[in-house]
Amino acid sequence: MSSFDPVAIRREFPTLDQQVNGKPLVYLDNAATSQKPRSVLDALNGYYLHDNANVHRGIHELSRRATEAYEEARAKVARWINAADPHELVWTRGTTDAINLVAGSWGMDNIKAGDEILLTVLEHHSNLVPWQLLARRVGAKLRYVEIDDQGRLELGDLPSLLTERTKLVAFNHVSNALGTINPVKDIVAAAKKVGAVVLVDGAQGAVHMPVDVQDLGADFYAFSGHKMCGPTGIGALWGRRELLESMEPYQGGGEMIEFVERDMSTWAEVPHKFEAGTPNIAGAIGFGAAVDFLATLPAEEVAAHERALMSYAMERLAEVPGMRIYGPESVEDRSAVVSFTMGDAHPHDISTILDSEGIAVRAGHHCAQLVMKRFGVSATARASFYIYNTRDEIDRLADALEVVRGIFG
Ligand code: PLP
């Protein structure tokens, strides 16, 4: 184990300090949303207590302060992914909203009848349905990279799937359903050979590893604040500046214009062109505080801690009779997610029994029905780990799974 101390980190997260069904809470549903450290809660509260005002509008002190904090947060989050310029970072409601923005703006103008969009079977519905909607509207075709028995992309098929008709390649950095870490740079390199634009769904990527969008080489990177210690309802779309500048606004309204005439308007500079209406100001400030918090942690030790948790969880779970674990066998290829089923026990029943032991896991299709279909199941149970989880909690999970086995045999 690394010298990183998750027990000390836990103290920063008030939600973790509670009993559920008479037992200390073990929160293993981090891929759905993470808990929030005190500093993020203080930032949200601080904004509402002292600086609450609309941004970019008022010429008064509170508006000035709110605007400064809001734009500072943009710069912090942009730095977290090593964007070349904070103007390349558009605030959105989350990953879903960011992907819909690209589909509704760039997609509507650049994807035509007969064009192809290359997706993967590993995607969250957020990175499938917006492209299905677009494809149906414009008459484009969707194609898919399949996955192997370990939930890894069949990248050997890329040369035949990528053609001059491929206008967009969209895939996740890390799978929420299986934890598979995808080789973003390799896929980007292949996509660029046919001139396709590349969108990476980073909802589970920016969370667990330092992301360098300049190094990855994609055109868009979408992610959510709430999965990385930030508030819900705030996320970001990073896009190459020249692409963002070439795109039409996604929504119309206040703040996204330069001038408005009776029959036409001109647009504000990026990123404001894409931020119509009063934004989630507190959320953005909270997201900035989350990134400040994460930046104080030693990235390599955090990664080693999460890998160690994953290894230990795989080892402990594999000891449970009837256990089937999905996703890559090698911990090097997977992020901190273990998806599993146990004999005939329905994942919802597993989750209910675990809940009675104070353990929160997710059960269901994880918004990844294509993944479930690939493995012939309708649902799995999923334990997902984060900075504040401990080995003891994995022992609690393994012990509770023995209770499940006792009930289901
Ligand atoms: N993509 C992946 C891989 C996810 O895990 C999630 C959320 O679980 C999303 C997209 C959607 O994120 P949000 O609900 O924050 O928009």
Side-chain angles (χ1 to χ4, degrees):
M1 280 294 255
S2 69
S3 61
F4 171 73
D5 183 5
V7 176
I9 291 291
R10 292 177 74 77
R11 292 189 204 111
E12 301 297 323
F13 291 79
T15 336
L16 294 175
D17 183 20
Q18 63 175 295
Q19 305 261 317
V20 168
N21 293 319
K23 316 259 169 61
L25 167 66
V26 174
Y27 185 78
L28 301 180
D29 194 16
N30 295 287
T33 199
S34 70
Q35 296 304 335
K36 320 303 172 199
R38 221 176 288 277
S39 59
V40 168
L41 305 177
D42 289 345
L44 291 170
N45 228 8
Y47 163 72
Y48 282 123
L49 284 174
H50 306 294
D51 305 325
N52 179 52
N54 216 325
V55 287
H56 299 302
R57 289 166 204 219
I59 320 264
H60 59 78
E61 174 61 19
L62 263 58
S63 176
R64 240 190 319 273
R65 274 193 241 144
T67 303
E68 202 176 294
Y70 177 76
E71 290 301 332
E72 252 174 33
R74 189 194 304 277
K76 288 174 190 174
V77 175
R79 260 199 309 277
W80 179 253
I81 56 164
N82 197 31
D85 177 351
H87 290 95
E88 294 183 331
L89 194 111
V90 180
W91 292 124
T92 64
R93 285 191 293 123
T95 306
T96 306
D97 193 32
I99 296 172
N100 276 280
L101 190 165
V102 177
S105 170
W106 182 86
M108 280 303 285
D109 282 339
N110 291 281
I111 305 226
K112 310 270 181 269
D115 286 347
E116 292 181 359
I117 298 171
L118 183 60
L119 306 171
T120 90
V121 166
L122 206 48
E123 299 315 305
H124 188 284
H125 298 164
S126 292
N127 200 23
L128 293 175
V129 182
W131 307 118
Q132 291 174 346
L133 289 169
L134 173 68
R136 204 158 60 189
R137 275 192 185 157
V138 303
K141 186 171 172 201
L142 301 177
R143 302 192 73 186
Y144 285 90
V145 181
E146 300 294 331
I147 50 178
D148 67 13
D149 290 342
Q150 288 190 42
R152 295 168 305 191
L153 294 176
E154 299 270 21
L155 294 178
D157 295 343
L158 272 186
S160 61
L161 288 166
L162 286 165
T163 71
E164 74 283 355
R165 286 187 301 278
T166 315
K167 292 293 176 296
L168 177 84
V169 179
F171 61 95
N172 60 45
H173 193 165
V174 173
S175 153
N176 64 307
L178 302 176
T180 318
I181 301 171
N182 292 316
V184 175
K185 285 172 79 168
D186 295 347
I187 304 172
V188 170
K192 290 292 160 194
K193 278 193 194 147
V194 297
V197 162
V198 180
L199 176 138
V200 178
D201 168 354
Q204 303 287 343
V207 181
H208 295 286
M209 56 193 80
V211 167
D212 181 339
V213 288
Q214 297 187 63
D215 182 52
L216 290 179
D219 298 291
F220 296 107
Y221 194 93
F223 56 115
S224 301
H226 69 97
K227 294 188 195 281
M228 42 191 289
C229 294
T232 50
I234 186 77
L237 171 72
W238 169 84
R240 284 185 192 287
R241 189 162 185 158
E242 62 276 16
L243 260 178
L244 292 176
E245 276 171 356
S246 74
M247 285 158 56
E248 284 290 305
Y250 170 49
Q251 294 180 323
E255 280 309 297
M256 49 72 71
I257 51 85
E258 184 189 27
F259 296 109
V260 174
E261 304 285 349
R262 285 183 181 227
D263 298 322
M264 55 80 67
S265 301
T266 54
W267 314 135
E269 296 284 306
V270 295
H272 307 292
K273 175 169 82 169
F274 297 108
E275 295 175 359
T278 300
N280 183 353
I281 304 165
I285 292 169
F287 196 176
V291 161
D292 278 344
F293 174 82
L294 292 171
T296 63
L297 306 179
E300 304 233 319
E301 291 185 35
V302 169
H305 167 68
E306 291 186 353
R307 246 195 326 274
L309 284 179
M310 169 58 61
S311 277
Y312 187 54
M314 302 266 283
E315 193 184 305
R316 289 297 321 263
L317 265 59
E319 289 164 4
V320 180
M323 175 66 61
R324 180 177 175 199
I325 295 175
Y326 301 80
E329 279 162 15
S330 158
V331 284
E332 300 302 319
D333 293 339
R334 67 151 77 210
S335 171
V337 169
V338 191
S339 239
F340 61 93
T341 49
M342 280 175 71
D344 291 335
H346 193 283
H348 285 170
D349 293 331
I350 297 176
S351 177
T352 304
I353 295 166
L354 293 181
D355 182 49
S356 71
E357 298 290 320
I359 301 170
V361 299
R362 175 83 176 260
H365 53 59
H366 316 294
C367 299
Q369 289 188 358
L370 300 188
V371 175
M372 299 297 114
K373 201 163 178 188
R374 167 64 177 78
F375 291 103
V377 292
S378 59
T380 67
R382 180 188 71 184
S384 49
F385 313 107
Y386 200 34
I387 44 179
Y388 38 64
N389 290 122
T390 63
R391 270 170 82 91
D392 288 352
E393 291 183 308
I394 291 168
D395 288 333
R396 288 262 315 273
L397 171 67
D399 292 348
L401 289 173
E402 286 299 336
V403 176
V404 175
R405 194 169 74 91
I407 292 170
F408 286 93

